[in-house]
Amino acid sequence: MKVDVLSIFPEMFAGVLGHSILNKAAEKGAVEYNIVNFRSYADNRHQTVDDYPYGGGAGMVLKPQPIFDAVEDLVKKAECRKPRVILMCPQGERYTQRKAEELAGEDHLIFICGHYEGYDERIREHLVTDEISIGDYVLTGGELGAMVVIDSVVRLLPGVLGSEESHIQDSFSTGLLEHPHYTRPADFRGLKVPEVLLSGNHRLIDEWRMKESLRRTHTRRPDLLEATDLPEGYGKWLAEIKKQSE
């Protein structure tokens, strides 16, 4: 996968992309990062990328020319099919694991990270394929949001995680929150690991994990249950969990 990022603060990405899973993914050849300062595409000697809004009002607006030229240049240089051009924006669709899985199937992603008051509307209408928001709040710029999306997508690429089952069992991938995890020691300050996990009975362990996943989702994110088609047998467990919580 090729990941291009347009930002006027490209140095922000060095620490994130240069460590942990994201860096290992690049070393394995699963992904190639390219951080572009779109000021370099400005058609004026001061490399101005923003201007006052028509009609007046507070703040500055990102001009279309530098961003259009940057995206068009990156698309021209790309050797893969048409990329997804993603605008990080609080007005975009709220980001989900489903969207991460969708984007992980692409060959080329281009992220546009804005600042100031917003984007010229022509960027939104005629250049981008996706508008994404990572939550109902406003950040100083789109860089942090882009990092979140890149992290969640790259970890899904084949061969990036040590175990292919890791992301399949993640919270949200199944529609439910993940079950609790424990490791050694079995008894820490009198706090003990559930006996079933020490039993060696994998059927019972799997059943416990499924029930606890269901319990945690019911307790913390009941809204997820409304949007999830539960496998056969889960309905009975959910009824028991609801009765216990009354």
Side-chain angles (χ1 to χ4, degrees), residues 1-242:
M1 173 183 281
K2 177 70 178 296
V3 175
D4 291 308
V5 181
L6 302 184
S7 169
I8 56 174
F9 298 105
E11 62 277 4
M12 290 180 65
F13 289 85
V16 173
L17 302 183
H19 293 84
S20 189
I21 295 297
L22 294 182
N23 183 56
K24 291 179 180 178
E27 291 178 343
K28 291 179 178 180
V31 63
E32 177 186 349
Y33 307 115
N34 179 38
I35 314 302
V36 177
N37 189 335
F38 61 86
R39 284 191 186 279
S40 63
Y41 287 88
D43 62 359
N44 59 86
R45 65 188 182 91
H46 296 295
Q47 295 189 316
T48 303
V49 296
D50 63 311
D51 210 333
Y52 295 103
Y54 278 123
M60 303 290 281
V61 176
L62 285 172
K63 300 169 65 174
Q65 178 273 316
I67 294 177
F68 265 80
D69 284 3
V71 170
E72 290 168 354
D73 185 44
L74 292 172
V75 171
K76 184 178 179 180
K77 294 176 180 177
E79 299 178 355
C80 52
R81 57 192 174 92
K82 186 177 180 180
R84 297 283 283 271
V85 182
I86 301 166
L87 190 73
M88 301 307 303
C89 174
Q91 298 179 25
E93 65 173 294
R94 187 181 294 187
Y95 194 57
T96 65
Q97 184 67 20
R98 293 288 178 266
K99 189 69 173 183
E101 293 167 358
E102 176 188 329
L103 295 177
E106 298 291 331
D107 297 322
H108 187 187
L109 303 178
I110 299 177
F111 292 86
I112 303 174
C113 304
H115 271 264
Y116 312 117
E117 186 63 23
Y119 306 93
D120 184 289
E121 188 67 14
R122 289 164 289 191
I123 297 170
R124 190 191 309 275
E125 292 182 344
H126 302 289
L127 189 62
V128 307
T129 60
D130 302 82
E131 295 181 49
I132 290 179
S133 167
I134 61 169
D136 294 339
Y137 47 88
V138 179
L139 297 171
T140 303
E143 285 79 8
L144 293 176
M147 293 176 197
V148 168
V149 176
I150 292 169
D151 184 287
S152 64
V153 169
V154 169
R155 67 188 302 277
L156 298 178
L157 299 179
V160 170
L161 296 181
S163 169
E164 290 301 311
E165 293 184 358
S166 295
H167 69 76
I168 295 174
Q169 297 175 355
D170 283 341
S171 293
F172 306 111
S173 290
T174 62
L176 302 175
L177 299 183
E178 198 171 9
H179 58 77
H181 293 274
Y182 296 89
T183 188
R184 291 178 289 185
D187 186 334
F188 175 68
R189 298 180 180 179
L191 306 173
K192 298 181 179 180
V193 172
E195 288 294 331
V196 64
L197 298 180
L198 308 177
S199 68
N201 188 322
H202 293 291
R203 184 186 64 80
L204 291 179
I205 291 172
D206 288 343
E207 183 175 303
W208 179 88
R209 286 174 171 169
M210 288 185 286
K211 286 183 178 180
E212 291 306 308
S213 176
L214 197 57
R215 187 189 312 279
R216 179 157 289 186
T217 306
H218 169 66
T219 303
R220 302 185 180 190
R221 291 291 305 276
D223 57 298
L224 293 177
L225 293 173
E226 298 175 4
T228 301
D229 293 327
L230 295 175
E232 185 177 353
Y234 276 51
K236 180 181 179 181
W237 292 342
L238 181 57
E240 293 175 357
I241 290 169
K242 287 182 176 179

